[in-house]
Amino acid sequence: MRWTIEDGWTMAQRYLAQLARRPARLATVVAFPILMVLIFAYLLGGGMSVPGGGSYREFLMPGMFAMTMAFGLSGTMIAVLDDAAKGVTDRFRSLPMAPSAVLTGRVAADLANAVLALAVLVGCGYAVGWRPHGSLGETLAALGLLLLLRTALVWAGISLGLLTSDPSMVTLAQTLEFPFGFLSSAFVATATMPAWLGTVAEWNPLSSTVTAARVLFGNPGAAGDSWVSTHPVLMAVLWPLVLLAVFVPLSVRRYGRLGN
């Protein structure tokens, strides 16, 4: 177990060093969500209304936090495919190291990246007028749920990256991230959608995390009538656990069968 943890930490350091040597990629990870906040807060926010009243900017920020976490899926796919194309993955498999270290190191490095992006976005939220109104414990719980979603989606990205060698699949994943994000309660309340579409959006795992974050932050727009909307914190835990239960075994199995 000690060697497994040490190997995982070594791999995480390798991924973080790669990120440090590519500041443009890090800048993109941080700058794009900030740009989205500015667009919705200052260009589109004037035409948005929040059911029950309240500031749209406070309604928006939990959605932007969750969307930033969702971007981890395609980013992880790119990194996994890049290592495979360069033969790095095959070399790791030939080394005397814990096989799980390659995967857990990737997850740990991505979470460090996510914490940095989330911290920058929280600062951006304060700049545009967002405030958490819950207790310190509730605020930390909301941030923890966001990182839990990120963890689940990173494992999904690893699994998809190991299943394909076609770079065009990354483009497909990046294309699907936006419908996945917009077909949720991240930017508009599901009550403003047609009934059938609102139901689909409410059952989107992203919506559960967004709604739970709004409840814990004390931000407006968290109310809902459906079962999934009235139990957002529970669903924000269950959805990532289901994704982890599916994609962690798939990733481990696929990694063990590479080259066979």
Side-chain angles (χ1 to χ4, degrees):
M1 178 61 70
R2 179 176 62 85
W3 289 339
T4 299
I5 294 173
E6 289 179 352
D7 288 346
W9 173 238
T10 299
M11 294 304 302
Q13 289 177 305
R14 180 232 177 205
Y15 297 133
L16 290 172
Q18 282 184 321
L19 188 63
R21 289 194 295 267
R22 298 175 180 176
R25 178 177 294 183
L26 181 60
T28 301
V29 169
V30 173
F32 182 72
I34 292 176
L35 180 62
M36 291 287 288
V37 169
L38 297 178
I39 289 173
F40 276 88
Y42 292 105
L43 296 181
L44 303 178
M48 302 289 189
S49 61
V50 180
S55 166
Y56 177 72
R57 294 179 187 177
E58 290 204 339
F59 174 88
L60 170 69
M61 289 311 302
M64 282 307 311
F65 296 152
M67 276 294 291
T68 303
M69 299 300 99
F71 291 148
L73 191 150
S74 63
T76 301
M77 279 188 68
I78 292 171
V80 171
L81 285 172
D82 188 50
D83 278 351
K86 294 178 179 178
V88 176
T89 303
D90 290 335
R91 183 170 184 180
F92 285 153
R93 283 169 48 79
S94 69
L95 294 175
M97 61 186 293
S100 62
V102 177
L103 305 182
T104 57
R106 171 74 63 190
V107 174
D110 187 273
L111 282 180
N113 183 24
V115 169
L116 174 61
L118 195 56
V120 172
L121 204 54
V122 166
C124 180
Y126 268 90
V128 301
W130 170 80
R131 297 290 185 275
H133 302 289
S135 66
L136 176 61
E138 289 171 329
T139 299
L140 294 176
L143 296 175
L145 290 177
L146 290 164
L147 293 173
L148 178 62
L149 177 66
R150 175 69 167 227
T151 303
L153 293 177
V154 166
W155 277 105
I158 290 173
S159 180
L160 295 174
L162 292 172
L163 284 172
T164 181
S165 59
D166 185 1
S168 65
M169 292 301 294
V170 175
T171 303
L172 177 61
Q174 290 174 322
T175 303
L176 293 176
E177 279 177 343
F178 285 93
F180 176 70
F182 282 101
L183 188 57
S184 71
S185 61
F187 301 107
V188 296
T190 56
T192 64
M193 304 176 186
W196 66 271
L197 190 62
T199 300
V200 173
E202 285 178 342
W203 283 92
N204 183 335
L206 193 69
S207 292
S208 295
T209 298
V210 171
T211 304
R214 288 184 180 131
V215 169
L216 294 170
F217 285 139
N219 294 149
D225 298 327
S226 66
W227 186 90
V228 68
S229 296
T230 54
H231 299 81
V233 176
L234 173 63
M235 293 305 298
V237 174
L238 287 181
W239 275 123
L241 291 181
V242 169
L243 293 174
L244 288 170
V246 172
F247 288 109
V248 171
L250 285 177
S251 299
V252 173
R253 182 178 301 177
R254 177 57 182 166
Y255 185 78
R257 293 180 177 178
L258 287 177
N260 295 336

